[in-house]
Structures are given as structure tokens and as C-alpha cells.
């Protein structure tokens, strides 16, 4: 088998069904074998779109996303999307060709030549590999997929030398490894239970690391009758219409106050990151029990009374039988400790968009998947005011904070879950970063509403400039003819001036065989 054949066979052995990528001169041997495989290939119009699509695929399916790019500019183009996946702990595998095994260290001016691709990507991935044999390639793929299962999932890059891609060799394909995540110690379970059973005002703080433990989080919350506050990546781990849901707007003062008033906080799979809390990590006055798969994360941003390095689902499964019922512990029931102030503050913060978001919610089934961009309508509006009902149903680029995420990520989500309703939310500034991916959605025939809130450029930065006391510069941008743009790229498009029209058009867009851009002027009702 050639190196290209070895890669494709290794991906197939690990049940990869979709690859996002752009063919190039140097990765032709990979594409030769993709063409004859059962793996679906989706061609975005830019490598950054391939990275975001792989991210959206992974977040909504629970399976690793895979992207193939060419060397040099193709690899660097995907780097921003990979860094976003790293920030949000999303399992993405990026494969690229690289300089031949015997390429001169200082280079010789070859096409797409880079000084050191492995070093260039190492700052935005968990691991960057340059393989040197067919056997190492198939073993490395197996190790990467095992790591996605057993460790904190973060993106990985594999570089395959050009000559290795083309050369044939005898090779045995390495299949999937059976792995288990770390389990909590018995004494940790008993100590955690003792603290929670004694607490009068317990609370749960849930992050993206608990996506695979939604049933367990709900069971623990209901046993304790404790409110559940989630981060952006944890949004939907508990349905946001459940009476114990505090919501996902952890940055709000009422949410910070609620956390500070808990005498015991059970934090599961969260960095407790400043990018979630905006003003810095919260002040936690009570005991903190922290469950995280990543041992390096346990002491970051908040020092726990009890750190537990283990899998969230198995740990909560072990914890549940030794927790007392809330009533038996002398605690009030029926949603005790859930502050209405948090949801009221979220409505007030997002007042500019809540009419539109309510209209959107009225159009979307509970099973809908929402992919959001770093737009004001998303982090001030949708984060706290658009309810979702299951983990992974709201994809938002926290941490690294990229623009242009929503549309290509929604393409990845719809590719992964074709029977699920999927919608993208963005602003006009971020939409222009990756608007070309409308052509990808059109080519794939994806039913995809893309809601664009327009405010004439970069509204958040405009507001920050004014707050800093100087006249805005570089942020006021004329809004292009988005209707014409969408039509030219193969989509449908409508200007929306009334929330009732948004409900109607979103419902219609979910049935249309292609993307539909719905343009909302924020000055509209």
C-alpha cells in the first residue's frame, strides 16, 4: 500500500465516514484512495471552512472531525480553525502532506515549502506528528483516536512526507484500541458525597466536558434539587426549560452572585475560564468539588477543595447512589436555589434581540442544532435567551473567539446529522469571513437557514472604542448586498423585517434543499 492508501484505510478502520478538505498538488495520493473509498468527501471553499466544518461535525455528532489539506498555505489557512477547536476541546484530526523525508533542512525553494510545519502547528494542537514510515502512520492514527476517547479531546495534526505518500510498502492496518477513561477513587466519591449531603445551598457548574454525562448531571441535580449553571460549551447538557436550569449566561452578575452564595459547588468538565465569565473567574466562597479528565486543569482558575481527575459520566454514576434525597437532607425541593434573576438579567441584556430569538425558537423543533458566531446577537442574545435541550446542540466559539465560525460549522453539523434541523446565527461582520461557504452548502444540497443580524460592521468593537473615549475607526462597514451575494452563491435569500416573518421563513428554510440567508436589520422591530 502507498502512504495515501495507508491513511485512507486507517481512517476507514476507525469508522471515519466524512472528510472535509481541499485537493492540492501534494495530496493527490490521498485523494486517489478517498475516491475509491466509502468515505464521503465535502469540499469547502477555503481551508478555514474545512476546519470549522470538522469542528461542527465533531461537536454535534460526538465523533472526531477529519480535515485534509495540502501543505504550506493550505495548512496555515486551517490553523485558526484548529486553534478554536483546541480552545473548546473539540476532537479534530488534520492531515497534510509535508516535505520529503530527505528534504534539505534549509529548504531548496520547493512548492509550498515551509521551514517546519510540525513546529508551526504545535502551538495550536495537542500533538503534532511527522510520521516516517507506513507502519508509524497507521499506528499514529490508532493512537490519536484512542487519545480522543481516553483523554481531553483536542485537535491533532499529522504530517505525511510527500515521498511516503507515493511509495508502496507492506503494512498491516492498526484497528481501533479499546480504552477506558480514568475512574474516581472510592474515597473521593465518599468525600464528595459527604460535602454535598451536608450542603444547604449546593449548585452545579457544568462545562463542555460533561456533554457525555447529561443523564448523570440531571440525575444528580434532581437528587440534590440543586440548580445547574452551564458555560457556553455546557449549554444544553441540561434542558434549559427544566426547572433546575439556571441557564448558560455565566457572565451575568446575578449568575456570579448565585455561585458565590453556594456553600458547595460541584463543577464538572469546565475550565472556569475568564472567556466564559468575562470579568474573570467567579468568587467561590463555599467548598468546590471539581471533576475533570485533564489533571492539568484541576488547579487552574479555581482551587478545589476536592479535585477529582476522572471521567464525568462514571464519576457521577458512582456518586449518585451515595447522595441523599434533598427532602431527606432537610432541603427544600421543587427547584430550590434557582434564581429567576439570572434569566431576567439575560432577557434585559439581550433585549435588542429577544423578539427575534423568541421568533426563532418558535420555528425550531426541540431537536434543532444551533451554530453561532461571535456576534453580539449570539453572546448577548442567544447564549442566555435561546433555549436548547441537549448537549452539543449549541456550538459557539468561546476561548479563542474566532469570527466566521457559524456557517461552515453548521455545514459540518448538517453533514453529521442530516435528519436534524440545523441553523446558523451570525452578524454581518463575521458572515463576511466565510460567506463563500454558502456555495458549499448549495453544492451539498443542505437545508440550512443562515440568520444574519446586520449592524454595519463590527458592532462590539465600535462600542468598545466609544467606551474607551475615542471615535470609532475601521469598524463601520457598508453592508453588502447579502441577498444578491447569497443568490450568486447558489442559495435563497430574504430580507426580514418582522419577527413573525422570521418564524415563517425559518420553517420554510428547513425544508428548502439548500442554504437560505435571512437578513435582519437590527433597527427593524
Amino acid at each position: 500500500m502507498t502512504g495515501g492508501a495507508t491513511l485512507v484505510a486507517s481512517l476507514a478502520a476507525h469508522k471515519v465516514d466524512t472528510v472535509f478538505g481541499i485537493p492540492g498538488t501534494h495530496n493527490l495520493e490521498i485523494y486517489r484512495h478517498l475516491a475509491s473509498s466509502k468515505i464521503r468527501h465535502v469540499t469547502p471553499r477555503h481551508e478555514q471552512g474545512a476546519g470549522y466544518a470538522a469542528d461542527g461535525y465533531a461537536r454535534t455528532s460526538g465523533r472526531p472531525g477529519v480535515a485534509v489539506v495540502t501543505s504550506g498555505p493550505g495548512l496555515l489557512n486551517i490553523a485558526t480553525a484548529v486553534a478554536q477547536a483546541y480552545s473548546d476541546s473539540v476532537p479534530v484530526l488534520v492531515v497534510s502532506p509535508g516535505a520529503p523525508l530527505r528534504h534539505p533542512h534549509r529548504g531548496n525553494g520547493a512548492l509550498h515549502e515551509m521551514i517546519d510545519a510540525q513546529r508551526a502547528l504545535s502551538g495550536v494542537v495537542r500533538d503534532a506528528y511527522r510520521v516516517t514510515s507506513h507502519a508509524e502512520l497507521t499506528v499514529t492514527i490508532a493512537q490519536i483516536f484512542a487519545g480522543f476517547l481516553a483523554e481531553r479531546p483536542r485537535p491533532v495534526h499529522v504530517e505525511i512526507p510527500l515521498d511516503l505518500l507515493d511509495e508502496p510498502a507492506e503494512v498491516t492496518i492498526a484497528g481501533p484500541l479499546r480504552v477506558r477513561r480514568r475512574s474516581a477513587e472510592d474515597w473521593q466519591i465518599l468525600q464528595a458525597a459527604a460535602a454535598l449531603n451536608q450542603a444547604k445551598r449546593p449548585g452545579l457548574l457544568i462545562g463542555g466536558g460533561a456533554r457525555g454525562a447529561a443523564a448523570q448531571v440531571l440525575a444528580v441535580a434532581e437528587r440534590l434539587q440543586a440548580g445547574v449553571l452551564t458555560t457556553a460549551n455546557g449549554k444544553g447538557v441540561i434542558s434549559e426549560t427544566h426547572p433546575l436550569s439556571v441557564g448558560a449566561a455565566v457572565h451575568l452578575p446575578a449568575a456570579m452572585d448565585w455561585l458565590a452564595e453556594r456553600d458547595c459547588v460541584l463543577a464538572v468538565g469546565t475550565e472556569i475560564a475568564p472567556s466564559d465569565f468575562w470579568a474573570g473567574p467567579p468568587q467561590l466562597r463555599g467548598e468546590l468539588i471539581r471533576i475533570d479528565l485533564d489533571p492539568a486543569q484541576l488547579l487552574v482558575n479555581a482551587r478545589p477543595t476536592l479535585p477529582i481527575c476522572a471521567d464525568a459520566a462514571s464519576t457521577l454514576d458512582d456518586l449518585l447512589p451515595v447522595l441523599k434525597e434533598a427532602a431527606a437532607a432537610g432541603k427544600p425541593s421543587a427547584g430550590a436555589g434557582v434564581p429567576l434573576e439570572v434569566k431576567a438579567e439575560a432577557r434585559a441584556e439581550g433585549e435588542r434581540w429577544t423578539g427575534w430569538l423568541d421568533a426563532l425558537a418558535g420555528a425550531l423543533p426541540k431537536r434543532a442544532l444551533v451554530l453561532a458566531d461571535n456576534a453580539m446577537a449570539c453572546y448577548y442574545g442567544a447564549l442566555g435567551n435561546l433555549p436548547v435541550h441537549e448537549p452539543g446542540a449549541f456550538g459557539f466559539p468561546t476561548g479563542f473567539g474566532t469570527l466566521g465560525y457559524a456557517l461552515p460549522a453548521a455545514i459540518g453539523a448538517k453533514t453529521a446529522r442530516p435528519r436534524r434541523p440545523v441553523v446558523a446565527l451570525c452578524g454581518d461582520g463575521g458572515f463576511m469571513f466565510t460567506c463563500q461557504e454558502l456555495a458549499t452548502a448549495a453544492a451539498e444540497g443542505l437545508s440550512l437557514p443562515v440568520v444574519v443580524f446586520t449592524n454595519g460592521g463590527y458592532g462590539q468593537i465600535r462600542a468598545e472604542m466609544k467606551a474607551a473615549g475615542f471615535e470609532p475607526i475601521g469598524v463601520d462597514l457598508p453592508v453588502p448586498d447579502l441577498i444578491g451575494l447569497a443568490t450568486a452563491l447558489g442559495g435563497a435569500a430574504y430580507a426580514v423585517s418582522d419577527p413573525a416573518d422570521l418564524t415563517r421563513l425559518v420553517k420554510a428554510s428547513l425544508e428548502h434543499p439548500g442554504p437560505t440567508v435571512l437578513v435582519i436589520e437590527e433597527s427593524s422591530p
Side-chain angles (χ1 to χ4, degrees):
M1 302 176 75
T2 66
T6 301
L7 171 68
V8 174
S10 298
L11 294 177
H14 287 83
K15 310 299 183 189
V16 172
D17 61 10
T18 304
V19 165
F20 302 92
I22 298 180
T25 299
H26 288 162
N27 62 18
L28 292 182
E29 185 62 21
I30 298 174
Y31 277 87
R32 180 196 304 276
H33 297 282
L34 277 175
S36 59
S37 76
K38 295 182 180 179
I39 298 174
R40 178 182 183 181
H41 183 268
V42 177
T43 308
R45 299 308 193 260
H46 190 279
E47 287 88 358
Q48 193 171 113
Y52 290 142
D55 178 303
Y57 177 100
R59 292 195 201 217
T60 53
S61 71
R63 304 187 301 273
V66 180
V68 173
V69 296
T70 196
S71 50
L75 182 61
L76 292 182
N77 279 346
I78 204 172
T80 296
V82 172
Q84 184 61 64
Y86 183 92
S87 179
D88 287 350
S89 301
V90 180
V92 171
L93 169 60
V94 176
V95 180
S96 72
L101 287 169
R102 290 168 288 280
H103 193 71
H105 179 69
R106 290 181 176 272
N108 61 4
L111 178 67
H112 297 336
E113 186 177 80
M114 289 181 65
I115 297 171
D116 190 334
Q118 188 179 3
R119 188 171 65 183
L121 265 288
S122 64
V124 294
V125 296
R126 187 187 70 199
D127 294 300
Y129 300 98
R130 176 175 164 86
V131 297
T132 57
S133 71
H134 296 66
E136 184 186 9
L137 171 57
T138 191
V139 165
T140 297
I141 297 298
Q143 291 169 334
I144 289 167
F145 277 81
F148 285 151
L149 290 173
E151 303 170 5
R152 182 179 185 177
R154 277 179 152 164
V156 177
H157 170 233
V158 174
E159 182 185 45
I160 309 173
L162 280 169
D163 45 0
L164 189 65
L165 277 175
D166 292 329
E167 290 175 2
E170 293 289 333
V171 60
T172 301
I173 299 301
L177 297 169
R178 293 179 178 271
V179 295
R180 288 188 62 186
R181 289 183 167 183
R182 298 181 183 92
S183 298
E185 301 285 344
D186 290 344
W187 68 267
Q188 292 175 314
I189 297 297
L190 294 175
Q191 190 171 329
L196 290 165
N197 287 336
Q198 292 172 11
K200 297 189 185 322
R201 298 181 307 282
L204 276 64
L205 176 60
I206 302 300
R211 284 180 181 172
Q216 291 84 353
V217 167
L218 179 60
V220 168
E222 290 182 337
R223 176 67 60 87
L224 296 171
Q225 284 297 300
V228 180
L229 181 66
T230 73
T231 66
N233 280 327
K235 185 175 171 71
V237 168
I238 179 174
S239 171
E240 293 181 307
T241 57
H242 193 284
L244 290 174
S245 171
V246 181
V250 297
H251 62 279
L252 293 172
M256 300 279 265
D257 290 344
W258 179 80
L259 272 177
E261 291 165 0
R262 301 305 95 196
D263 57 355
C264 186
V265 171
L266 176 61
V268 185
T270 172
E271 293 179 316
I272 314 183
S275 56
D276 272 310
F277 288 91
W278 297 11
Q283 298 299 313
L284 301 175
R285 302 190 184 114
E287 291 192 69
L288 173 62
I289 302 165
R290 194 166 184 181
I291 301 170
D292 204 291
L293 194 62
D294 183 359
Q297 189 60 48
L298 285 168
L299 300 179
V300 177
N301 293 321
R303 296 289 181 91
T305 312
L306 175 61
I308 302 176
C309 182
D311 173 67
S314 65
T315 302
L316 296 179
D317 273 333
D318 292 342
L319 181 61
L320 188 63
V322 288
L323 291 177
K324 295 178 181 178
E325 293 280 358
K331 301 170 193 162
S333 57
V338 177
L340 297 178
E341 292 84 359
V342 175
K343 296 183 179 180
E345 276 192 12
R347 295 290 291 183
E349 181 183 61
E351 183 179 7
R352 183 167 152 189
W353 304 278
T354 49
W356 296 109
L357 294 169
D358 290 346
L360 179 61
L364 295 177
K366 278 193 170 185
R367 298 174 68 250
L369 307 175
V370 179
L371 286 301
D373 213 337
N374 251 307
M376 298 173 77
C378 297
Y379 48 78
Y380 290 132
L383 183 61
N385 295 289
L386 184 65
V388 298
H389 307 281
E390 62 181 76
F394 186 82
F396 179 71
T398 56
F400 205 59
T402 57
L403 283 172
Y405 173 84
L407 172 55
I411 290 171
K414 189 65 176 176
T415 302
R417 310 295 292 273
R419 297 180 181 178
R420 298 286 290 273
V422 177
V423 62
L425 302 182
C426 46
D428 57 305
F431 178 66
M432 293 305 295
F433 275 52
T434 52
C435 60
Q436 70 277 0
E437 301 306 342
L438 286 172
T440 307
E444 295 293 323
L446 302 179
S447 300
L448 183 62
V450 182
V451 181
V452 183
F453 293 87
T454 64
N455 59 15
Y458 305 120
Q460 177 65 37
I461 308 305
R462 180 191 299 127
E464 291 179 11
M465 287 178 172
K466 289 179 178 178
F470 63 92
E471 284 298 309
I473 179 173
V475 293
D476 294 314
L477 306 175
V479 179
D481 177 7
L482 299 182
I483 305 295
L485 174 65
T487 304
L489 291 172
Y494 302 92
V496 187
S497 58
D498 182 85
D501 288 338
L502 180 64
T503 301
R504 175 179 58 82
L505 288 167
V506 168
K507 287 181 177 179
S509 301
L510 291 171
E511 304 298 327
H512 176 71
T516 303
V517 175
L518 303 174
V519 183
I520 296 172
E521 294 183 10
E522 289 193 5
S523 58
S524 301

